[in-house]
Amino acid sequence: MKKIIEDINEAAADAFEKAGYDRKYARVTLSNRPDLAEYQCNGALAAAKEYHKAPIMIAESVVEEMKKSAIFSSVEAVKPGFINITVTPDYVASYLEKMSHDDELSVNKTTDPKTIIIDYGGANVAKPLHVGHLRSAVIGEAIKRMERRLGNKVIGDVHLGDWGLQMGLIITELQERQPDLPYFDESYTGEYPEEAPFTISELEEIYPCASGKSKTDDSYKARALEATAELQRGRRGYRALWKHIMNVSLADLHKNYSRLNVSFDLWKGESDAQPYIAPMVEKMKKDGYAYMDQGALIVDVAEPDDKKEVPPCMILKSDGASLYTTTDLATIVQREEDYHPDEIIYVVDKRQEMHFIQTFRCARKCGIVGPDMKFTFIGFGTMNGKDGKPFKTREGGVMRLETLIKDIDDEMYKKIVENRSVRDKDAEETAEVVGLSALKYGDLQNQASKDYIFDIDRFTSFEGNTGPYILYTIVRIKSILNKYAEETGIAPDEAGGKIIAASSDAEKKLMLQAGRYNEALEDACAEYAPHRVCAYIYELANDFNSFYHDTKILSEENEERKNSWISEIRLVKDILEDAIDVLGFSAPDRM
RNA sequence: GCGCCUGUAGCUCAGGGGAUAGAGCAACGGUUUCCGGUACCGUGUGGCGGGGGUUCGAAUCCCUCUAGGCGCGCCA
């Protein structure tokens, strides 16, 4: 569906043209003086220079033309040269009427769907998810759904950290503890047990233990490095152990991510990229991009107009081992081969930006991707505690994601139980649904690139710009619709009638905001900015609540009016639910 | 040292060339013949870290200073 703003823009552009000015000046925006108008056009001010006329003269002649359009109830030229625009209630009503019958809620699917790989999550095998993983998961999931909502083909990849020294460390520590396991016996040729010799909680304890030892004990570290190398060379017992580690850990990761309502299409990891490294390196050498420098193999990626020095990309260390960059490049090779993506989006801590600049440049320079493949780096800031410093447990350690989620759910449960109308057996489940909205909305409402302060009291509040407030609004609408269904016997899905012109300012405001959904979503998506979706639905929820407050819907005697209202609030509910689904959470039926 | 990012009401954050800079929280005061008052309405608060510049017009663009955060080839 064409956007409201496009209808207005077009009418304005026609008016500029008829008045003798270039159409390009007819840019219409939401009014920043809502007391004066709904939309505004500042084009006359901009055009003044080119036409050597007073802006107000231009504005007035354009206004004369615009007044001929049927969609405006008022068009005015004011002071220096603003054009203030108000649309007719009938126009808005007919727009919403069309929208309410559109399965896409007026959102336009792209005519040119792109294949997009989105790399987020960044979980490490054998290490529990902690709060540092939260932002990547939450923001990445939202962006994935936003792109999908607009019709792109999006492939989410968790890109596991499943290769390298951490594996060697675990193997070493395991041997320390259970030396008799067959995995360590090189002469063993039989089948290895199907059951892993450890549980997830043991695994989670083993890694930090091993990591600690390796820092103080050099011979221990040497053994871990050797184990890593042997694993990579394919030692049978170690590969079998690695598989166990993967299985146990993946099951746990699946569980935790699904609790966050985050799901990946691909569970690829660094290990999957390994086979691509050798041929990639060979090609880089053969093509003359990679060369030896101080014993390491590097590719220059500096560009002449860099403001700062961009260090070369290191492909192989002087001992011949590969690095982070190498694996990331090989992953790109693999993705090119498997999916030929139009774009790869990385949702990663912003501190890694330099690394990705290097990687992207190197991939392009070496021809791993073509010039049209778009790399997008979305760097997010740190989640801080109330003291403004990186979020920690009370004891000062890294907080596990599970703990954080539980804290929020507990808080939510307390608040829900205070409401006597909810039955206890539902309360726990509801607390989880509402808790997730608190957690995710609390994060997503901020610009991704900035640090933000995690404040459990604020995020779980039903007041203000929070997830629970949005859900409350949805639940409230559902409640009205259910009541209506009880009274009339008409199912909520079929209730309502034709949407007619607004009967109050509050209603018109609500209708205009609802009609902007396509615009809001497309803008947010173009900027990879979930916080814009949050801002939009917050305003929509506010507009609904003020409309609700002074409108008695169910007791309205004018049937046409009442049915229109029912349709409207159902549309508002549908929009809110569609939007929170895009953000990655959902609403309960009651709370 | 070089480079990047951030600095907007007491607090948490929007706004990224245009008209009186906006929300929420906190504070205070109202609203219930009730479709969920975990709501709604109202009141006060800053001139956007400092300074200079471009522009008819700057929180928004440029320069500079300052404070804080972060990054800078053999970690990931």
Side-chain angles (χ1 to χ4, degrees), chain A residues 37-51:
Chain A
E38 288 157 355
Y39 292 88
Q40 66 179 323
C41 174
N42 302 338
L45 292 159
K49 201 171 222 169
E50 182 182 334
Y51 295 99

Side-chain angles (χ1 to χ4, degrees), chain A residues 279-424:
Chain A
M280 176 183 82
V281 171
E282 269 320 298
K283 185 166 184 301
M284 283 176 172
K285 283 201 263 193
K286 200 185 85 205
D287 294 346
Y289 295 118
Y291 64 93
M292 299 300 286
D293 183 81
Q294 296 171 42
L297 187 72
I298 64 170
V299 174
D300 284 327
V301 292
E303 286 172 8
D305 51 347
D306 283 340
K307 278 190 188 158
K308 65 180 157 182
E309 194 193 329
V310 176
C313 232
M314 186 171 292
I315 307 299
L316 294 177
K317 295 198 287 183
S318 42
D319 67 359
S322 59
L323 296 112
Y324 186 28
T325 310
T326 325
T327 304
D328 273 345
L329 285 166
T331 302
I332 297 169
V333 173
Q334 181 184 18
R335 287 171 177 167
E336 266 296 321
E337 223 166 77
D338 292 350
Y339 301 103
H340 299 294
D342 297 296
E343 179 176 9
I344 304 178
I345 300 174
Y346 293 81
V347 183
V348 186
D349 190 306
K350 69 178 173 192
R351 285 173 292 199
Q352 296 194 40
E353 182 160 16
M354 180 51 88
H355 159 74
F356 281 100
I357 288 175
Q358 292 177 286
T359 305
F360 297 165
R361 286 185 180 183
C362 185
R364 232 182 261 297
K365 182 174 179 180
C366 299
I368 294 173
V369 299
D372 294 334
M373 217 299 294
K374 184 179 173 194
F375 281 118
T376 302
F377 176 82
I378 298 175
F380 54 81
T382 312
M383 178 174 132
N384 290 330
K386 277 190 189 174
D387 57 359
K389 295 186 192 136
F391 194 85
K392 292 276 196 285
T393 60
R394 250 175 233 162
E395 294 72 37
V398 178
M399 186 179 268
R400 294 178 60 145
L401 194 47
E402 273 178 280
T403 314
L404 185 74
I405 293 172
K406 186 167 186 308
D407 286 353
I408 288 208
D409 288 352
D410 288 350
E411 191 61 33
M412 226 53 253
Y413 182 78
K414 254 192 277 172
K415 295 194 179 181
I416 286 170
V417 166
E418 281 170 21
N419 181 346
R420 289 148 295 160
S421 69
V422 174
R423 298 179 197 99
D424 272 14

